[in-house]
């Protein structure tokens, strides 16, 4: 009969043999030569790389064309925006001449104003040819994408937020905002007072409940 000591030695020997077998199997797998890539595999890999490269080149070409087109269409964007002040100054000059008491009786005043208006129309024509057009705002619903509210005017005959005054004309350059229209919009008569009264009344009711 085997003693406990003999059994332990046998089990230890079997365990060591098992570990050795596992190590040898692992080494054989690691040292086994990889499958050699065939000509067909290489050709397929090359074709995939070529297709990816061509797709990237096409995307770059499209981006380049788009950037060129935008540069062509909007290259003078900043210049156009700065040039709008010329129209503003022309309008101010005409108003100033018409309101000048010393010039009102001058027989040449109308000729001067007509000459200024001709220059203005030439400038407007140049703007129009380059896709610069004024924004329509009067009696339109206020739109923050195109209008900038400068003041509120009480008017119970129109819906709240209707543009009823154009302080400074806004312009678009094709589909881009060149300058927003500065406008005055309507509010209902006593709208702010009514809102204040409601808040005061609600506060009083809450105090009474306490």
């Amino acid at each position: 009969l085997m003693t406990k000591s003999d059994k332990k030695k046998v089990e230890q020997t079997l365990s060591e043999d098992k570990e050795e077998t596992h190590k040898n199997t692992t080494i054989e797998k690691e040292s086994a030569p990889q499958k050699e890539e065939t000509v067909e595999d290489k050709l397929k890999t090359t074709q995939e790389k070529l297709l990816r490269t061509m797709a990237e080149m096409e995307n770059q070409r499209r981006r380049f064309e788009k950037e060129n087109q935008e540069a062509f269409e909007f290259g003078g964007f900043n210049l156009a925006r700065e040039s709008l002040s010329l129209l503003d100054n022309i309008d101010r000059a005409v108003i100033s001449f018409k309101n000048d008491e010393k010039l009102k009786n001058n027989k040449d005043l109308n000729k001067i104003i007509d000459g200024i208006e001709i220059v203005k129309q030439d400038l407007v024509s140049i703007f129009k040819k380059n896709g610069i057009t004024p924004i329509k705002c009067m009696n339109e619903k206020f739109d923050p994408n195109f209008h900038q509210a400068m003041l509120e005017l009480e008017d119970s005959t129109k819906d709240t937020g209707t543009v009823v005054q154009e302080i400074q004309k806004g312009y678009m350059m094709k589909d881009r905002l060149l300058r927003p229209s500065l406008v005055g919009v309507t509010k209902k008569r006593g709208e702010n007072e009514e809102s204040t009264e409601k808040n005061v009344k609600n506060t009083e009711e809450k105090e009474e409940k306490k």
Side-chain angles (χ1 to χ4, degrees):
L1 296 175
M2 295 178 64
T3 63
K4 290 183 178 179
S5 177
D6 292 336
K7 286 182 178 180
K8 190 173 182 181
K9 287 180 180 179
V10 171
E11 289 175 354
Q12 185 175 358
T13 301
L14 291 172
S15 177
E16 290 175 354
D17 290 342
K18 187 176 181 180
E19 289 179 3
E20 185 66 25
T21 301
H22 178 70
K23 287 181 181 178
N24 291 336
T25 302
T26 304
I27 292 172
E28 287 177 1
K29 287 182 178 179
E30 291 178 352
S31 59
Q34 294 182 352
K35 184 181 177 181
E36 185 177 352
E37 190 177 19
T38 64
V39 175
E40 289 78 7
D41 293 335
K42 291 180 179 179
L43 179 60
K44 185 178 180 181
T45 302
T46 303
Q47 287 177 333
E48 290 175 352
K49 289 181 179 179
L50 180 61
L51 288 173
R52 283 198 297 269
T53 302
M54 291 176 66
E56 290 174 1
M57 290 176 64
E58 180 63 17
N59 290 336
Q60 288 180 351
R61 183 187 67 80
R62 289 177 179 175
R63 283 197 297 270
F64 181 73
E65 286 182 353
K66 183 179 179 181
E67 290 171 359
N68 271 359
Q69 183 67 20
E70 289 182 348
F72 176 76
E73 291 182 353
F74 302 104
F77 188 85
N78 291 331
L79 176 61
R81 185 164 51 190
E82 294 292 333
S83 299
L84 293 177
S85 61
L86 296 175
L87 285 178
D88 297 336
N89 291 334
I90 288 174
D91 289 335
R92 292 190 189 104
V94 171
I95 293 172
S96 176
F97 288 154
K98 288 181 177 180
N99 293 332
D100 192 317
E101 295 295 334
K102 295 179 180 179
L103 294 175
K104 279 184 178 180
N105 297 324
N106 191 318
K107 61 179 180 180
D108 294 325
L109 177 60
N110 289 334
K111 292 181 180 179
I112 294 172
I113 292 177
D114 288 343
I116 295 174
E117 288 292 344
I118 290 173
V119 174
K120 177 184 175 180
Q121 291 306 316
D122 286 344
L123 189 57
V124 169
S125 178
I126 292 171
F127 281 176
K128 190 174 182 180
K129 287 178 182 177
N130 287 274
I132 302 169
T133 53
I135 296 172
K136 184 181 178 182
C137 65
M138 289 299 293
N139 297 315
E140 297 287 330
K141 188 70 176 176
F142 176 78
D143 187 341
N145 295 310
F146 304 105
H147 311 143
Q148 183 175 338
M150 303 302 292
L151 52 88
E152 288 184 314
L153 303 169
E154 288 187 349
D155 190 338
S156 298
T157 65
K158 296 182 182 296
D159 292 336
T160 300
T162 301
V163 177
V164 291
Q165 182 177 352
E166 185 180 56
I167 300 169
Q168 185 181 73
K169 192 177 292 295
Y171 288 87
M172 297 290 294
M173 187 172 183
K174 296 185 179 178
D175 59 347
R176 287 191 182 184
L177 179 66
L178 193 60
R179 184 177 77 180
S181 300
L182 304 185
V183 299
V185 298
T186 59
K187 68 175 182 178
K188 295 297 183 184
R189 189 178 300 279
E191 195 172 45
N192 293 340
E193 290 80 355
E194 289 177 6
S195 177
T196 303
E197 288 176 3
K198 285 181 180 179
N199 292 333
V200 172
K201 187 176 180 180
N202 291 335
T203 303
E204 291 176 349
E205 290 177 351
K206 289 180 180 179
E207 292 295 331
E208 289 176 0
K209 288 180 180 180
K210 290 181 181 179

